[in-house]
Amino acid sequence: MKTINIRTGCPQQTIEGWGTSLCWWANAAGGWTMRGPSGRTRREELMQAIFSAQGLNFNIVRYNIGAGDNPAEERHMFHFRGMPCFQPQEGGAFDKTADQRQVWVLRRAAQLRRGDLITEVFVNSPPWWMTSSQCSAGNLQACSENLSPLRYGEFIDYCVRVLDYLTGECKLRVDYFSPMNEPASDYWAKGQRQEGNKVLPGAHQSLLLETAHRKLQQRHPEIKIAGTDETNPTVALESYQSLSEPVRQGVLRKINYHHYLEDDSALGALCRIAYPNGFSNPRCRLWMDEVCYGEGEDDFGLAQRLSRAIHKDLNLAHASAWVIWQAMDTLSDNIARHSHWGLIEGMYQDPLNNELAGTLDVSQMGYDLGDTIFTMQYYVMGHYSKYILPGYSILENDGDAFYCVAAVSPGGNTLVVILCNLQNAPQTLELALGGFVPQTAEMIVSTNTAQWQRAELPPGRFTQAELQPSSITTLRFTR
């Protein structure tokens, strides 16, 4: 029988929480005022499923300041990806109602979390009218920057106006601001389906972060600068190392990286940057704040990729927060592409009034506007976010073959161990809990056929974990 050792005497990073970006799903679902099966509005059902303790228990959101798009151009943003701009024209008035759907979701999340919501505001692109191409999807050549450094101050001034609105009239707390998203990538070209903006690593990324820091110090000194939100750990490390010394030491308070390509060496290097003096005294925060998976069937085979990423991010990089890209993605596009992006799949189009007529035929898909499907990824995500709570410390373990993640509560009285069985056959494990002697134990299991199934474990069998085939199991011990 395989034994997994949980080193309860070796607490590592403290978890800040779990969460989601709001773009693009909030731009669609924030307007769903129709009633759902529960009698609540469809948007309220979603909020409960994502942010309440009965749902995923998320306590982190990443709000996107939209860039709008040039009204003179042929429409190319897939409609829910076209994020509204508070100032849709150069020299125009600031329109507080422009992004009311996403703002509704942000405000409702703050209400549901009752004071513990961590909010990061980030930008994919400056307003379209500031860009060189006059398009918020990118420049004519994807390898070219789309915002002149001479306009960095103007760009950040616009972002500060949005922060004024969110923190003032909306009475929301904003904790972090990131002025770029995957800036070193060559994805961002005019006419693409989503917003993006190239910012060259080194001097230009440093200047943009310095500008944001200087202007926030004047108006919002409580908001910390985060970055650089590169597409994978490798590029994130290279981007960080290219920043100027003053930015690394005095401006950047949190390193954000995305996890669209694995690089264990880079994860380890990011860990050493964040925790040079040990986990109890981090030099800066470190978050994995964007990834998603969708290619494949809606089953454990796809969902286990989520577990693999969380295992690496928490045990190798020692990230203190983990944020999914899309809590919900578009059901119609998934059907058309035979994919399953998003923890939840939602119908963004009305078959009777399809905004995408001629682009995507939804009339025969069998779903109405606001219908949702909860994927296996949703339930796998809940095995982490519902039980490893803010304030818990990650514990060292040797269960890599089972994507093991272990954590202990602040008082040391609750121990959580999460295990994946990647085999299509049952496995039995012995857990060595390093001196933690449980008085009670419960097991939560999800498979392709049953999710979040709970059972109390009998005394004498607390540390023997019987894993079902192709499953994820959360063990929660108390003493």
Side-chain angles (χ1 to χ4, degrees):
M1 184 186 302
K2 169 70 175 176
T3 298
I4 292 180
N5 297 286
I6 310 297
R7 298 181 176 90
T8 53
C10 299
Q12 300 179 328
Q13 80 273 24
T14 299
I15 292 298
E16 295 178 74
W18 310 82
T20 178
S21 165
L22 297 188
C23 79
W24 303 292
W25 67 270
N27 187 35
W32 289 355
T33 56
M34 71 288 278
R35 298 290 168 180
S38 70
R40 296 170 168 167
T41 62
R42 287 286 195 177
R43 65 184 184 181
E44 180 62 21
E45 289 177 342
L46 271 174
M47 297 301 290
Q48 296 290 332
I50 295 167
F51 295 103
S52 76
Q54 292 71 40
L56 292 178
N57 201 36
F58 279 180
N59 70 308
I60 297 174
V61 291
R62 300 187 72 231
Y63 173 89
N64 176 231
I65 297 179
D69 208 10
N70 190 340
E73 287 190 342
E74 182 179 350
R75 181 174 177 175
H76 57 89
M77 297 281 184
F78 202 65
H79 81 121
F80 59 92
R81 298 185 183 188
M83 300 301 292
C85 182
F86 285 96
Q87 188 180 334
Q89 299 285 343
E90 186 167 13
F94 188 89
D95 181 4
K96 297 178 181 179
T97 68
D99 193 23
Q100 56 187 319
R101 295 185 295 272
Q102 190 185 192
V103 169
W104 183 90
V105 171
L106 177 58
R107 297 180 78 166
R108 184 63 182 133
Q111 292 170 352
L112 287 172
R113 295 308 309 177
R114 298 181 180 179
D116 79 341
L117 186 72
I118 301 174
T119 300
E120 177 164 283
V121 172
F122 77 103
V123 186
N124 286 321
S125 168
W128 68 268
W129 45 264
M130 284 190 195
T131 67
S132 299
S133 68
Q134 297 289 280
C135 175
S136 59
N139 211 332
L140 295 174
Q141 300 294 324
C143 60
S144 299
E145 294 181 301
N146 205 24
L147 179 69
S148 166
L150 298 176
R151 301 194 79 166
Y152 284 0
E154 181 184 6
F155 166 45
I156 298 300
D157 284 340
Y158 166 74
C159 294
V160 168
R161 287 197 70 185
V162 177
L163 293 170
D164 288 344
Y165 168 64
L166 295 176
T167 60
E169 187 168 321
C170 295
K171 296 181 172 57
L172 295 163
R173 189 187 74 224
V174 175
D175 301 280
Y176 296 101
F177 173 67
S178 177
M180 59 187 79
N181 184 69
E182 300 185 352
S185 298
D186 292 340
Y187 308 145
W188 315 123
K190 183 172 182 174
Q192 296 296 317
R193 293 183 4 142
Q194 66 189 72
E195 296 175 8
N197 181 52
K198 177 89 171 182
V199 183
L200 290 172
H204 284 188
Q205 289 189 10
S206 296
L207 178 59
L208 183 53
L209 292 168
E210 286 172 349
T211 304
H213 176 68
R214 184 179 71 254
K215 289 183 176 289
L216 285 183
Q217 283 297 300
Q218 297 168 359
R219 294 290 294 273
H220 295 283
E222 75 283 1
I223 300 176
K224 304 174 185 68
I225 299 296
T228 55
D229 286 280
E230 297 288 8
T231 188
N232 61 57
T234 310
V235 182
L237 178 61
E238 294 169 350
S239 173
Y240 176 84
Q241 292 171 334
S242 299
L243 294 173
S244 68
E245 187 69 15
V247 168
R248 292 200 305 266
Q249 297 299 325
V251 171
L252 196 64
R253 301 291 297 279
K254 179 162 66 73
I255 299 172
N256 291 343
Y257 71 92
H258 304 175
H259 206 165
Y260 290 111
L261 182 70
E262 290 186 3
D263 183 342
D264 292 357
S265 176
L267 292 178
L270 290 170
C271 173
R272 291 188 293 274
I273 291 168
Y275 306 101
N277 303 309
F279 296 110
S280 62
N281 185 29
R283 191 192 67 77
C284 63
R285 301 291 184 183
L286 178 63
W287 283 15
M288 197 305 296
D289 71 338
E290 183 183 324
V291 76
C292 58
Y293 303 100
E295 298 297 339
E297 298 300 320
D298 178 17
D299 59 14
F300 184 74
L302 174 59
Q304 59 89 15
R305 296 182 65 189
L306 204 70
S307 291
R308 179 181 174 89
I310 292 172
H311 166 73
K312 288 179 176 288
D313 292 320
L314 269 56
N315 290 331
L316 295 180
H318 294 280
S320 60
W322 203 92
V323 182
I324 195 77
W325 172 232
Q326 292 285 280
M328 182 173 70
D329 214 329
T330 170
L331 175 58
S332 59
D333 203 35
N334 279 346
I335 291 173
R337 294 170 180 266
H338 306 288
S339 57
H340 294 281
W341 301 97
L343 304 179
I344 302 168
E345 298 176 271
M347 189 62 179
Y348 290 7
Q349 291 82 40
D350 183 348
L352 301 179
N353 184 27
N354 182 18
E355 296 180 29
L356 299 179
T359 302
L360 182 63
D361 181 11
V362 301
S363 62
Q364 304 301 315
M365 289 184 175
Y367 296 96
D368 293 324
L369 177 67
D371 284 350
T372 54
I373 296 173
F374 287 65
T375 71
M376 186 64 185
Q377 291 189 76
Y378 174 90
Y379 294 104
V380 166
M381 184 75 247
H383 276 263
Y384 301 90
S385 58
K386 290 169 71 67
Y387 299 100
I388 299 180
L389 305 178
Y392 278 44
S393 295
I394 298 299
L395 298 172
E396 186 179 349
N397 71 81
D398 60 3
D400 290 357
F402 298 89
Y403 298 164
C404 181
V405 174
V408 65
S409 64
N413 292 322
T414 301
L415 174 65
V416 174
V417 180
I418 303 170
L419 301 159
C420 287
N421 181 7
L422 307 179
Q423 306 300 316
N424 196 26
Q427 297 194 65
T428 302
L429 305 175
E430 182 70 27
L431 299 179
L433 302 183
F436 187 99
V437 180
Q439 299 298 311
T440 64
E442 66 173 333
M443 179 171 63
I444 303 94
V445 180
S446 291
T447 67
N448 286 328
T449 56
Q451 294 80 42
W452 293 354
Q453 298 296 299
R454 307 170 70 98
E456 300 291 329
L457 296 180
R461 296 185 62 190
F462 286 168
T463 60
Q464 192 173 92
E466 297 180 358
L467 307 182
Q468 296 185 36
S470 301
S471 68
I472 181 170
T473 299
T474 294
L475 296 159
R476 186 174 181 271
F477 304 102
T478 58
R479 65 180 179 186

